[in-house]
Amino acid sequence: MATEPADVLIIGAGASGGVVARRLSEAGFRVVCLEQGDWHDKSEYRGPELDWELTMRKQWSTSPNVRGLPQDYPIDETDAEISPLMYSAVGGSMLIFAGAWPRMLPSDFRVRSLDGIADDWPIDYHELRPYYERTDREFGVSGMGGDPAYPVGGEDPPLPPLPIGAGGLKVARAHARLGWHWWPEPNSILSVPYDGRRPCVQRGTCQQGCNEGAKASTDLTHWPKAIAAGARLVTGARVRRLETDATGLVTGATWLDREGQEHFEPAKVVVLAANAIGTPRLLLLSASPAHRDGLANSSGLVGRRLMMHPFANVGGLFDENLESWQGQFGCSIESFEFYETDERRGFVRGAKWGLAPTFGPINAALPSRAGTQVWGADHHLHVRSHLGRGANWGIFGEDLPDEGNQVTLSGTLTDGSGIPAPEVHYKVSENSRRLLDFHIEKASESLLEAGARTVEVDRLMRYSGWHLLGTARMGDDPKTSVLDRWNRAHDVPNLYVVDGSCFVTSAGVNPTSSIVALALRAADHMVETRFDQQVPV
Amino acid sequence: MSLEPRVLDPPEQATLAALAEHLIPAAHGMPSAGVVIDERRLRFVLGARPDLLEALRAGMRPDLPADPAARLIVLERDEPETLSKLLLVIVGAYYTDRLVRDQLGYPGQQAITIQSWKYPQYLEEGLIDQVLARGPIWRDPTTGRTAIEDRPRTLTTDTHEIGRPR
Ligand SMILES: Cc1cc2nc3c(=O)[nH]c(=O)nc-3n(C[C@H](O)[C@H](O)[C@H](O)COP(=O)(O)OP(=O)(O)OC[C@H]3O[C@@H](n4cnc5c(N)ncnc54)[C@H](O)[C@@H]3O)c2cc1C
Ligand code: SF4
C-alpha cells in the first residue's frame, strides 16, 4: 500500500487516462492509475472464431448492462432513449471502439456565435490542431491529407489510408455524380506496420476487440510506454469516492479491490478519466458536508448536458456480392456534405456520415434493426440478399446540450462493490429528430445513386450511446462550467477531468480523436505549470 | 457416443426440429434447419452462450401449442424475450454449420492482407480530384460562411505517395 502520495492519480485507464499517464510519466511525474477493469490479451477476442456473432450479443456486447461482467457497473437507463455503451478495461472503451478518427471542424467550437444556440468553446480548432497531430502519431492514424472539409495546412495523417472496399468505391462514384463531398475516413487503425504493431487484416470485427493489435487502444499504444517510464497501474481497483481536505483540495481516492477490501490512494493531483458517465458518477459520489451537491459542482452542472449523438443507420442493399462483412469497422469513407448549418432545413447543425461493413450471416438472418424478418422458404432469399451485399451509412448527428439530459445516482441500483450505479436521463431533442430525418433522406439518395436496389433504415438506434460527452463542461465562467479551459475544476485547483465529460458541445463527429487531443493538451499544461500547482500539505 | 446428458429430451428435440423446419425449411438449394440443428450444433451454441439454455427449454414447453406457427404467435405475444433468444439459438446453430456456410458462399471473417502499395482505384478514376475541384466546404467561424481559399487544392505529392509510410 502506497503511503507516499502520487504526483498524479489517474482514475480510468481508457483513452484519455492512457494519454495523460504516458505524457506525465515520460515527463518524470510519479503516476498511479486505478482501473476497475483488467488487461486483455489479443487472443481473447472472438473475431476469427465461429462463435463471433453469438458472443458479440452477450459477453462482447457493447452494453455493460447486457454483458453484466463483474468489472462493469450497471446503468439505470429506464429514463433514457439511448443506451450508453462502454467497456471497462486497460484501454477502456477503445477495446471495442470502431476506430473512426475524424477531427472536429472549426465551426464546432463556435456554435453559439454562428447558430445562436448552445455555447462556444473556450478554445478553437487551431489551438487544438497541434495536439491532433501529436495524438495521430501516438495512436497511428491512417488517412489521406487535404480533405476540403477542413482548413488547409498541418500534418497529414502519418499512415496511408485504409482500403475503402467495393461498397465505398460505389458510393464514392455516386458522390462524384451527385457533386457531394466524400473522403477516405481517417481511422486509428494501421494500414502498414507501425510502432511494433501489425497492420489491419480487414476482418471487420473491430467492435469485439482487434486480434491483430492493428486498431489503436491505449493498452497497446500508451500504457506499456507509461509503465516503462515508471507509471503504476492498478487493475481491479474500483474507486468509490474522492477525498478532500479542509482547504477544499482533493487528497486522493478511496477504492475497493476485487475482494471488497477498501484502500486509500493519496495524491497531490487527481485526474478523472472515467468517461462522461463514470466521471460525474464519481464527482456526485464524492459529496460531503463541504460539497453537498457533489465535488466540483458549484455550477450545478456536474452530470448535466449529457450528449450521446443520436444515431441512424441507413443501409443500402446491392445486387452484387460486395463481401461487405469484411473491412475495418471504423469506416471506409465519410461525407461532410450536409455537416454545416442550413436553417432552410428546419434544424441547426448537421451530421457526419461514415460508411461501415455489415456483419455475417447470423446478423443477416435475425430480425434486422430496420424491423424486417423473413421466415419460411423466403428466408434464404432474404439472407442471400443481405449477406455481403450491404453498405451502411451511419449518421452521427450533432447532439445539442440540454441540462435535462443528465447522469444522477441511483437510489436502488448498485455495482458489484455496492457503490450506487449511475442513472441516465436522456431524451432525444426535436432538433435531433429533424436532423436525422433530413440526413436519412439524403443518405438514402446517396445509396440509391450508388446502385442500391433498396434502402433499409433504422431511424434511431437504441444501442448507439457510443459517444459519451458533456457532463462536466469546460468554460471560462465558473458559474456556467465545471472545468476551466485547461480541464481543471474551477472549484478544486488540483482536480482535472480529461475524458469526454469536458465537451462543451458534441460536434457531429466521432469524438475520441478530440477527447485525446484535449487530454494531451491538459497534460502538457500540467507539465508546464507543475511548479505552480497547488497541492495538499 | 457421448455419456453427457442430452441438451433436450426426445420430445423437446422433436419440437425444436419442427420449429426450426417451420422457420428455415429446405428451399432455394439450402437445407432445412430442422435437419441441420442436431445435438452437436446445439452444444456449440450453448457452449458459446450458456445463458440461452433457459430460453431454449422454455420455448419447448409442452403447454405451448404443438403447431410451430401457433407456438411462435404465443411466444411473440407473451414471452418476446424468450422468442428472441430462441431465434438466436436456431439461427446461431444453423449458420455456424460448415455446409450451410459453404452453400451461402460465406467463408467467415477472413484475414486479408492490405495491398497498401497499390494505387487506389478511386485515385485512378480521379474521384478525389473531383472533390478537391469543388473547393473547401468548411464553414469559417470568422465569417460564418463557407471558407474561401487563395489557391485551389490539388493532390499533394504526399497523397500520390499512398502506400508508402509518410
Ligand atoms: C462500441 C463502441 C464503438 C465506438 N466507436 C468509436 C469510433 O469509431 N470513433 C470514436 O471516436 N469513438 C468511438 N467510440 C467511443 C470511444 O470508445 C470513447 O470516446 C473513448 O473510449 C472515451 O475515452 P474515455 O477516456 O473518456 O473513457 P473510456 O475509454 O470509456 O475509459 C474509462 C475507463 O474508466 C474506468 N472507470 C470508470 N469508473 C471507474 C471507477 N469508479 N473506478 C475505476 N475505474 C473506473 C473504466 O473501467 C474505463 O476503463 C466507441 C465506443 C463504443 C462503446
Ligand atoms: S478490421 Fe482491422 S482493425 Fe478491425 S479488428 Fe480486423 S484487423 Fe483489427
Side-chain angles (χ1 to χ4, degrees):
Chain A
M1 189 66 268
T3 43
E4 180 71 4
D7 289 336
V8 174
L9 170 63
I10 300 172
I11 295 165
S16 55
V19 166
V20 171
R22 174 173 164 188
R23 174 70 180 100
L24 295 185
S25 52
E26 287 178 347
F29 283 66
R30 214 143 25 84
V31 172
V32 175
C33 176
L34 300 173
E35 164 56 52
Q36 63 187 355
D38 288 300
W39 288 93
H40 280 291
D41 186 82
K42 294 196 285 277
S43 62
E44 291 171 48
Y45 307 136
R46 307 303 299 167
E49 306 301 329
L50 209 51
D51 61 31
W52 164 62
E53 283 188 286
L54 287 166
T55 47
M56 74 156 75
R57 288 172 163 75
K58 180 70 185 165
Q59 300 93 320
W60 287 100
S61 165
T62 52
S63 159
N65 286 358
V66 175
R67 288 192 304 268
L69 298 175
Q71 62 269 34
D72 289 320
Y73 54 79
I75 300 170
D76 184 338
E77 49 186 48
T78 29
D79 187 34
E81 287 182 78
I82 294 180
S83 297
L85 308 174
M86 61 181 75
Y87 203 80
S88 308
V90 180
S93 305
M94 287 190 99
L95 252 60
I96 58 163
F97 95 139
W101 205 254
R103 297 176 184 178
M104 286 166 63
L105 278 76
S107 71
D108 290 327
F109 297 85
R110 291 289 174 269
V111 175
R112 163 61 67 182
S113 306
L114 291 173
D115 296 320
I117 37 116
D119 304 274
D120 288 350
W121 287 61
I123 60 170
D124 67 15
Y125 173 80
H126 297 285
E127 200 172 334
L128 204 53
R129 180 151 84 183
Y131 296 98
Y132 279 127
E133 291 170 354
R134 279 166 62 190
T135 45
D136 278 6
R137 276 181 260 125
E138 289 181 8
F139 284 95
V141 172
S142 301
M144 186 187 277
D147 185 349
Y150 292 86
V152 270
E155 283 176 23
D156 285 353
L159 308 173
L162 288 159
I164 68 168
L169 187 57
K170 273 182 181 298
V171 177
R173 286 175 182 148
H175 280 219
R177 291 193 292 275
L178 291 164
W180 289 2
H181 174 264
W182 78 276
W183 202 255
E185 176 89 20
N187 286 289
S188 55
I189 295 175
L190 305 183
S191 53
V192 290
Y194 183 75
D195 196 22
R197 290 158 53 211
R198 293 206 298 259
C200 170
V201 297
Q202 301 281 283
R203 195 177 276 121
T205 58
C206 321
Q207 293 198 135
Q208 292 74 43
C210 176
N211 299 82
E212 307 300 314
K215 188 188 69 172
S217 50
T218 53
D219 55 322
L220 304 174
T221 52
H222 287 73
W223 280 107
K225 293 183 172 96
I227 290 166
R232 182 161 65 88
L233 170 56
V234 187
T235 57
R238 179 168 267 147
V239 176
R240 151 182 277 174
R241 54 178 285 124
L242 306 186
E243 310 296 349
T244 46
D245 66 12
T247 67
L249 291 173
V250 65
T251 56
T254 302
W255 60 278
L256 298 164
D257 64 23
R258 290 185 187 90
E259 280 71 48
Q261 197 75 36
E262 192 170 288
H263 307 264
F264 175 69
E265 188 69 46
K268 296 176 186 165
V269 170
V270 171
V271 174
L272 283 173
N275 83 34
I277 304 286
T279 284
R281 176 191 185 215
L282 272 173
L283 290 172
L284 297 174
L285 283 167
S286 305
S288 66
H291 316 97
R292 291 196 181 278
D293 299 324
L295 195 57
N297 198 18
S298 63
S299 65
L301 288 175
V302 166
R304 293 190 182 270
R305 297 168 60 108
L306 172 67
M307 295 171 279
M308 293 199 277
H309 285 160
F311 177 88
N313 191 74
V314 184
L317 289 172
F318 294 79
D319 284 330
E320 61 268 55
N321 186 357
L322 308 170
E323 297 196 349
S324 58
W325 56 75
Q326 298 278 160
Q328 68 275 5
F329 218 92
C331 290
S332 53
I333 66 170
E334 63 187 13
S335 176
F336 285 98
E337 182 63 28
F338 303 101
Y339 190 82
E340 306 284 7
T341 297
D342 178 345
E343 280 176 14
R344 287 168 302 180
R345 297 174 190 153
F347 59 87
V348 288
R349 309 304 298 157
K352 181 208 105 166
W353 306 352
L355 200 75
T358 58
F359 299 105
I362 295 181
N363 199 66
L366 284 171
S368 81
R369 298 192 306 208
T372 35
Q373 55 176 321
V374 180
W375 304 109
D378 285 354
H379 175 79
H380 301 293
L381 300 179
H382 173 80
V383 169
R384 277 191 200 284
S385 69
H386 283 68
L387 179 63
R389 288 174 158 75
N392 285 348
W393 270 132
I395 313 290
F396 298 89
E398 172 152 1
D399 198 3
L400 297 172
D402 174 344
E403 290 187 13
N405 286 341
Q406 62 169 322
V407 179
T408 58
L409 294 178
S410 170
T412 48
L413 190 67
T414 62
D415 63 21
S417 312
I419 305 170
E423 206 171 84
V424 173
H425 309 268
Y426 181 89
K427 286 199 172 32
V428 177
S429 70
E430 188 50 37
N431 192 71
S432 290
R433 287 185 196 279
R434 287 199 202 147
L435 181 155
L436 287 181
D437 286 347
F438 170 86
H439 280 265
I440 287 167
E441 200 180 301
K442 290 293 172 189
S444 304
E445 212 177 310
S446 150
L447 293 166
L448 291 170
E449 175 65 33
R453 177 173 37 80
T454 181
V455 171
E456 292 181 351
V457 178
D458 189 356
R459 291 208 158 256
L460 184 63
M461 256 169 70
R462 179 166 182 95
Y463 285 97
S464 68
W466 301 295
H467 304 157
L468 307 170
L469 306 166
T471 51
R473 65 155 290 200
M474 58 159 67
D476 289 331
D477 182 354
K479 288 196 199 69
T480 57
S481 56
V482 179
L483 309 173
D484 70 10
R485 57 171 59 222
W486 301 107
N487 295 62
R488 187 202 310 245
H490 288 299
D491 298 353
V492 189
N494 66 340
L495 174 64
Y496 286 78
V497 173
V498 295
D499 55 47
S501 310
C502 72
F503 275 45
V504 179
T505 53
S506 70
V509 293
N510 321 57
T512 310
S513 68
S514 304
I515 292 176
V516 295
L518 286 159
L520 182 60
R521 179 176 169 277
D524 262 14
H525 183 71
M526 288 181 223
V527 174
E528 280 155 21
T529 58
R530 65 202 300 180
F531 300 114
D532 305 325
Q533 175 64 55
Q534 235 182 304
V535 297
V537 281
Chain B
M1 219 187 86
S2 161
L3 293 178
E4 278 180 70
R6 294 179 64 85
V7 175
L8 299 176
D9 62 25
E12 286 172 331
Q13 181 67 46
T15 307
L16 177 67
L19 205 59
E21 158 73 29
H22 174 79
L23 290 166
I24 311 179
H28 304 290
M30 298 297 290
S32 156
V35 175
V36 169
I37 302 176
D38 58 10
E39 179 72 10
R40 229 187 60 194
R41 294 256 49 76
L42 274 188
R43 279 194 188 280
F44 174 79
V45 171
L46 297 171
R49 292 288 308 270
D51 59 298
L52 296 175
L53 177 61
E54 205 179 313
L56 171 62
R57 288 240 164 88
M60 300 303 110
R61 291 195 319 269
D63 59 294
L64 291 166
D67 171 57
R71 182 175 286 250
L72 288 170
I73 290 168
V74 171
L75 283 173
E76 186 162 24
R77 190 192 59 208
D78 300 340
E79 301 170 57
E81 186 81 350
T82 303
L83 177 62
S84 83
K85 287 182 175 169
L86 188 56
L87 290 178
L88 181 55
V89 173
I90 292 171
V91 161
Y94 185 73
Y95 287 102
T96 51
D97 179 74
R98 181 74 46 212
L99 204 76
V100 168
R101 286 154 86 93
D102 283 352
Q103 271 165 306
L104 265 181
Y106 172 67
Q109 303 301 119
Q110 292 192 302
I112 300 168
T113 304
I114 295 178
Q115 300 179 323
S116 54
W117 57 90
K118 264 193 167 173
Y119 200 64
Q121 178 77 21
Y122 55 85
L123 284 182
E124 207 74 78
E125 292 182 21
L127 300 179
I128 287 287
D129 292 310
Q130 293 182 34
V131 180
L132 294 176
R134 286 195 295 275
I137 61 164
W138 60 280
R139 189 177 177 199
D140 187 342
T142 58
T143 64
R145 286 189 291 277
T146 303
I148 297 168
E149 290 169 1
D150 313 339
R151 282 181 292 129
R153 294 194 198 187
T154 49
L155 278 182
T156 61
T157 328
D158 269 356
T159 316
H160 277 295
E161 280 180 6
I162 277 166
R164 273 171 250 161
R166 283 170 270 159

